[in-house]
Structure formats: C-alpha cells, structure tokens
Amino acid sequence: MMGIYSDLLFLLALTQYATCQKVAGQLSNPTLQGPEKVKLNETETISCIASSEKLSILYSLYRGKTLVQVQNVSTSEPANFSVSFHSQTDGGTYKCKVESDDAMQTKYSNSINIIVLAPVLGVSITSVPDPPVLKVHDKLTLNCLVKQGSGVTYQWYFNKQELLSNSSVKINQSSLVIDHVDLKDAGDYQCKANNQFNMTTFSIASNSTEVIVKDLSVKLTSNPDPPIQGYQVTLNCSITYQTTGFYTWYFVHSENNSTESTKQNQFTHIASHPGRYYCSINGQTSNWIQVLGQDSSFQTVTVAVSVAVTMLLILVLGLICYCISQKAHRCNID
C-alpha cells in the first residue's frame, strides 16, 4: 500500500516539475501571419510570435531555404518583418524559425504562401526540338514563357489565325503539343499572354516562331527498267531521309490487285501480269512504273520498224520527185 502512495507522489512531483520547466522556459510553436497577395514594388509586414518565459527570442524569416531577415526581440513582443516585393521571385513560401536565448530550443512556424501581382511582361516561345525543324510524324512541343505576370492566360496563333485544341493539336494554356506533325503543320506560330493588374488589361504577344516540316519524298525504281511480264523484277523504294515504318508495295492490274509489306526498301518477285507498281511509307506514295506485257515489247519494236520504213519511203519518194523536177528543168533549157 505504501508503495502505491510512493509511486503516486513521485508521478505528481514529476508532473509539477515538468509544468514548472515549461512555464520557466519552454518555447511554443511560433505563429506566422502575412498577406496572401501583394502588388509589385509594395512593402508589407510579416509577423511571427512565440510565447516563452525566456528574456529574448531570436526570430529568423525564410523564403523557401533563403534567409530573409533576423530579429532578436523580447518574448512578449512579435517579430515584425518589413519585406519589399520588387519582383515575382520575392513571392513564394515563407516560414519563421525561433531560437531561445540559450540556443537550446528551436521551433518552426506554419508556412504562408505570398503571391506577387504583376503585369505580364517579356513573352517568348521555346521549342522542342530547337530549332523547330522536324520530319513528318515527329513530335513538336512549343512553350509560351513570360518573364513576369500573375494570373496569366494564353492564346495561340498559327499563320496569324487563332489556334484551338483539336484531335491533332493539344493546347494546355502555355504549352502546345503536336504528337505527329504533318506538312500542314509547317508555318508561323505565335503566343499571346494576358492578365489584369490595377484594373488594366495587359496583352503581350511573342515573336513568331517558324516551324519547318520536311516533305518525305518517295521514289520507285526497278531493275530491269521497265519490268517485263514473266520475268523477275527488283523494285527499290528510296526516300529522302531515314524514317521508321513498313514499306508497302502495290501492284495494280486488270485481273487482281495485290499488296506486300516489308521492313526493307527492296522487293523482288516475278512480274506475272502487266500493270503498274508503286510503293508507299508513312502515308507518302511514290511514282508508278508500268509492267510491259510479253507482246508489248514486240508491239513496241513493230511500231518502231513501221515508223522507220515510213520515213524511208517518204525520203525515197522525195528523192524521185526531185530527180524528175531536175530533168524537166534541163529539158526546158535545151
């Protein structure tokens, strides 16, 4: 029984000691107060206060991890920091740190976020890739940057016409993304940044940025040239720059149309029927090549011979007429 009383008396004494220690010098968590928004070039007061029985407390004001000001004040008074906001970088997250005069205790306050209101200024466009020279199906990203401005909204223009989000162009305020550019996406891009400050609307446009998209050129050649029906032919689909994708080969003739797909840009097979070949890659189509029939080559030779014979006959008839005219001329002289 005496042991229980002893334990109770010990706990009571310990509690009284801890209470006395707290009253005597325990720092409380400080409270930080300040404005939510300030105008550019204004000076505002940010207050921090913590309770303690210490004779003085060291107050330190931080913006992020940057020390802004330090004050050593008596424990009954708050630390009032006078802060000037000359740029938007002076805004951000503020926090206060307090230290006891014996440097044995340190406490941190709540955080407050201060927004610096400023007119929009210094608008420019950055691009990925830089410079914005792309191939068909490449990805384009444009970003509209401002050096200064709060509550900014953005507009995008393509060849001086306002551009809105659609199935191929994704616009999210200051960014514009085209996942797969095409030839139609080449041209001049411009962004405009807008905001309100002191009851005045500001609207600043960037310089134009020219986006260049190379035209993928596809050319079809054959060996032999032209292909002949019933014989082997090797087709070559050449492009102006390296790109990924499959080559598609087309053969069009009266009996049946056919296609083949390969990773390589060459295709060899037997030209079984007369018709036309062409190839394509990434939606770009080549020229076409005519496949001659077996009788086509004979017809070509026949036509060529006929033309030659006709020309020779005309020449002979002309010569005969000339001789006759010359003979008649001599007879007249005699």
Side-chain angles (χ1 to χ4, degrees):
M1 193 71 173
M2 289 296 293
I4 295 175
Y5 284 120
S6 298
D7 292 340
L8 290 175
L9 289 173
F10 175 76
L11 290 173
L12 180 61
L14 187 61
T15 302
Q16 290 176 341
Y17 175 77
T19 302
C20 290
Q21 285 294 102
K22 183 176 181 180
V23 172
Q26 183 69 32
L27 272 175
S28 65
N29 289 325
T31 301
L32 186 67
Q33 292 183 330
E36 292 183 358
K37 298 179 180 179
V38 299
K39 292 181 180 179
L40 190 67
N41 296 323
E42 283 187 342
T43 299
E44 296 286 346
T45 299
I46 301 176
S47 298
C48 186
I49 187 170
S51 61
S52 175
E53 291 299 317
K54 296 289 184 180
L55 295 178
S56 64
I57 300 176
L58 182 65
Y59 288 84
S60 300
L61 181 66
Y62 288 86
R63 181 179 62 249
K65 295 183 178 180
T66 303
L67 178 63
V68 178
Q69 292 182 30
V70 175
Q71 288 187 24
N72 198 331
V73 299
S74 62
T75 56
S76 60
E77 298 294 330
N80 293 316
F81 299 99
S82 183
V83 181
S84 297
F85 298 87
H86 296 301
S87 70
Q88 286 195 286
T89 57
D90 293 327
T93 302
Y94 283 79
K95 183 176 285 189
C96 176
K97 181 179 77 171
V98 294
E99 298 175 87
S100 58
D101 53 4
D102 56 6
M104 296 296 291
Q105 299 179 59
T106 300
K107 297 283 187 178
Y108 287 91
S109 72
N110 56 298
S111 297
I112 61 172
N113 188 57
I114 299 178
I115 299 173
V116 180
L117 303 177
V120 68
L121 204 66
V123 184
S124 61
I125 292 179
T126 62
S127 69
V128 180
D130 184 19
V133 179
L134 307 96
K135 302 188 296 290
V136 172
H137 294 297
D138 281 352
K139 181 177 181 179
L140 171 68
T141 301
L142 299 177
N143 292 298
C144 191
L145 304 181
V146 297
K147 291 184 178 179
Q148 173 185 291
S150 54
V152 179
T153 59
Y154 299 87
Q155 292 170 288
W156 285 92
Y157 295 86
F158 175 60
N159 292 335
K160 297 183 179 180
Q161 299 294 319
E162 186 170 5
L163 185 61
L164 303 176
S165 283
N166 54 53
S167 58
S168 60
V169 180
K170 301 174 185 176
I171 296 177
N172 183 13
Q173 285 293 328
S174 62
S175 69
L176 182 152
V177 178
I178 303 177
D179 287 323
H180 305 286
V181 297
D182 203 346
L183 294 177
K184 63 181 177 58
D185 300 314
D188 291 329
Y189 289 79
Q190 189 178 37
C191 70
K192 185 181 290 185
N194 317 278
N195 79 338
Q196 285 193 332
F197 181 74
N198 284 347
M199 305 299 293
T200 301
T201 299
F202 292 81
S203 183
I204 308 295
S206 70
N207 292 331
S208 294
T209 297
E210 184 183 8
V211 173
I212 299 173
V213 181
K214 295 182 179 180
D215 185 0
L216 177 62
S217 177
V218 185
K219 182 179 180 181
L220 180 65
T221 58
S222 68
N223 184 20
D225 185 17
I228 301 174
Q229 179 185 355
Y231 291 87
Q232 179 175 287
V233 59
T234 298
L235 302 173
N236 184 75
C237 195
S238 58
I239 54 178
T240 51
Y241 59 81
Q242 190 61 38
T243 184
T244 58
F246 286 86
Y247 293 84
T248 303
W249 309 88
Y250 300 87
F251 184 54
V252 181
H253 57 93
S254 58
E255 295 184 12
N256 186 27
N257 298 332
S258 61
T259 61
E260 294 284 345
S261 183
T262 64
K263 291 184 178 180
Q264 295 76 29
N265 69 329
Q266 282 191 342
F267 180 61
T268 301
H269 83 142
I270 303 297
S272 303
H273 304 280
R276 292 180 177 182
Y277 284 112
Y278 64 95
C279 65
S280 71
I281 183 171
N282 290 342
Q284 301 298 314
T285 303
S286 72
N287 56 300
W288 55 265
I289 292 178
Q290 184 77 35
V291 179
L292 298 178
Q294 288 182 344
D295 56 342
S296 298
S297 57
F298 175 75
Q299 290 175 0
T300 302
V301 173
T302 302
V303 170
V305 171
S306 299
V307 170
V309 170
T310 302
M311 294 299 295
L312 182 60
L313 182 59
I314 292 173
L315 182 61
V316 171
L317 290 175
L319 183 59
I320 292 171
C321 291
Y322 175 77
C323 292
I324 292 173
S325 64
Q326 288 296 319
K327 185 177 180 180
H329 180 67
R330 286 198 299 269
C331 290
N332 290 334
I333 293 176
D334 293 339

